[in-house]
């Protein structure tokens, strides 16, 4: 009796992990659902705006920086104008990377080294964080200009 119960229990467990009965084997409903999700994910990815991932905190990207460093804050993310003088191309960066780059720029005739722009979605905590990290890196608050105009 115990032996028959054990065999049934093992058979039940195996049936959960193996293809179930029915034509074609496998659970077609689950496969359809998975394929539908994959198609929906691909469709959403194709229509979503492309946003590159942030680089690692230790990496300092190479940019053609001018006399000042232009920074954009969007929600909690930071972006740097990667090619000053041309159409603005925002490249993701961390606050630490921005501080390192800000130390390298000479500043304009007014002593401004960092020009901060914000999207309407920018978070105040992200703004405070970048200002604090810049100050810790030796960039004086007077060398940071924050535009009053919000970008869409």
């Amino acid at each position: 009796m115990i032996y028959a119960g054990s065999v049934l229990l093992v058979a039940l467990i195996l049936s959960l992990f193996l293809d179930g009965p029915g034509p074609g084997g496998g659970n077609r409903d689950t496969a359809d659902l998975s394929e539908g999700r994959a198609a929906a994910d691909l469709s959403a990815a194709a229509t979503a705006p492309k946003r590159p991932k942030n680089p690692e905190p230790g990496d300092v990207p190479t940019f053609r920086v001018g006399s000042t460093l232009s920074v954009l804050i969007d929600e909690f993310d930071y972006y740097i104008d990667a090619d000053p003088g041309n159409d603005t191309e925002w490249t993701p960066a961390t606050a630490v990377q921005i501080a390192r780059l800000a130390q390298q720029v000479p500043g304009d005739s007014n002593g401004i080294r960092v020009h901060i722009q914000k999207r309407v979605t920018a978070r105040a905590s992200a703004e405070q964080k970048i200002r604090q990290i810049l100050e810790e890196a030796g960039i004086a608050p007077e060398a940071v200009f924050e535009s009053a105009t919000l970008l869409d």
Side-chain angles (χ1 to χ4, degrees):
M1 178 77 170
I2 294 175
Y3 178 71
S6 297
V7 170
L8 285 174
L9 182 61
V10 169
L12 177 64
I13 291 172
L14 286 176
S15 70
L16 292 174
F17 293 106
L18 300 176
D19 289 341
N27 188 342
R28 185 68 193 149
D29 293 338
T30 304
D32 286 341
L33 184 59
S34 296
E35 289 171 9
R37 280 190 192 139
D41 289 345
L42 287 175
S43 172
T47 59
K50 302 290 187 226
R51 210 172 227 200
K53 293 181 179 178
N54 279 337
E56 293 299 316
D59 296 341
V60 177
T62 55
F63 296 113
R64 285 188 13 209
V65 290
S67 59
T68 62
L69 180 65
S70 293
V71 176
L72 174 68
I73 302 174
D74 184 8
E75 292 190 8
F76 297 102
D77 300 320
Y78 305 107
Y79 298 88
I80 298 172
D81 184 1
D83 193 7
N86 292 327
D87 290 337
T88 303
E89 179 183 321
W90 296 108
T91 302
T94 65
V96 172
Q97 291 169 332
I98 292 169
R100 289 182 183 160
L101 287 170
Q103 290 172 329
Q104 297 173 12
V105 297
D108 64 11
S109 61
N110 294 320
I112 302 296
R113 296 171 79 176
V114 180
H115 182 252
I116 296 177
Q117 298 179 45
K118 298 181 288 185
R119 291 204 186 273
V120 293
T121 57
R123 306 296 181 171
S125 61
E127 179 185 344
Q128 290 170 340
K129 177 182 174 183
I130 192 68
R131 285 185 165 278
Q132 177 184 356
I133 289 177
L134 286 170
E135 193 168 344
E136 289 171 1
I139 309 298
E142 303 83 42
V144 179
F145 173 77
E146 185 177 330
S147 178
T149 305
L150 300 176
L151 304 176
D152 288 329

